[in-house]
Amino acid sequence: MSTPHVVVVMGVAGTGKTTVGPLLAAALGVPYAEGDDFHPPANIAKMSAGTPLDDDDRWPWLDAIGRWAHGRAGLGGVVSSSALKRAYRDRLRAAAPDAVFLHLTGERALIERRMADRKGHFMPTALLDSQFATLQPLGDDEAGVTVDVAGTPEEIAERGVAALGELDRPHEPGSEPEPEPA
């Protein structure tokens, strides 16, 4: 990427945000912040008990991530955050307007299998359905890219770097498809 964006690695639990995020940050030469570290202990206790967070739980967490992203404006950085709803991404963009999103996505069966294989993580697989039910994919008007999570973490990060690089590439005249005749 030619400009130092703050990249928010987003997606449902189990997509590899915590694994891919540091690889992406290393490839971009910027620091990484683990979004889970911004959760207050009450949120972690709630999720550990199998209870989904509600918006009142998420706002302070998103604000903390937003403060970190704001502090990295113009310098670049990578932070993980599920950012499942448009309202959550809007909240992050309010603090860090130049943030871009890298949405990790994939087949539910693969994500569930990866979640089940994790050791020592507070998010149980039982909450995966609520994550998918909450997910609002990136809108066409949101700065970001979508990357499939099939493959190794290194392959996913490599695809992420390539996709993010496309955000900065100026579109050449004539590269847009011609409109269909009426």
Side-chain angles (χ1 to χ4, degrees):
M1 296 173 61
S2 61
T3 58
H5 293 287
V6 172
V7 179
V8 179
V9 180
M10 63 168 282
V12 299
T15 53
K17 296 180 295 290
T18 298
T19 302
V20 174
L23 295 172
L24 184 71
L28 297 174
V30 297
Y32 172 74
E34 170 54 51
D36 288 342
D37 293 344
F38 293 91
H39 275 298
N43 283 8
I44 292 173
K46 194 171 184 179
M47 289 183 285
S48 295
T51 305
L53 299 179
D54 59 29
D55 286 352
D56 288 336
D57 299 318
R58 286 189 181 95
W59 299 134
W61 172 65
L62 290 165
D63 290 343
I65 292 171
R67 283 190 297 277
W68 184 88
H70 178 77
R72 296 298 312 164
L75 302 171
V78 175
V79 63
S80 59
S81 170
S82 53
L84 298 177
K85 289 184 180 179
R86 171 72 183 244
Y88 305 160
R89 297 188 297 273
D90 289 345
R91 185 98 170 208
L92 291 170
R93 275 190 297 269
D98 293 330
V100 297
F101 294 85
L102 185 134
H103 181 188
L104 296 178
T105 187
E107 293 184 18
R108 189 192 188 289
L110 172 64
I111 294 167
E112 185 172 21
R113 201 167 43 251
R114 288 182 178 170
M115 274 185 85
D117 290 343
R118 295 192 304 193
K119 303 293 181 240
H121 195 276
F122 60 82
M123 178 70 84
T125 57
L127 291 182
L128 189 56
D129 287 334
S130 73
Q131 293 259 304
F132 273 106
T134 302
L135 177 64
Q136 297 171 345
L138 287 174
D140 290 340
D141 62 333
E142 292 184 271
V145 295
T146 300
V147 174
D148 189 273
V149 296
T152 67
E154 293 77 14
E155 291 167 339
I156 299 163
E158 187 176 302
R159 287 195 304 269
V161 168
L164 289 165
E166 290 296 315
L167 290 176
D168 283 339
R169 184 164 294 136
H171 294 285
E172 297 178 20
S175 66
E176 301 297 321
E178 293 294 321
E180 294 290 323

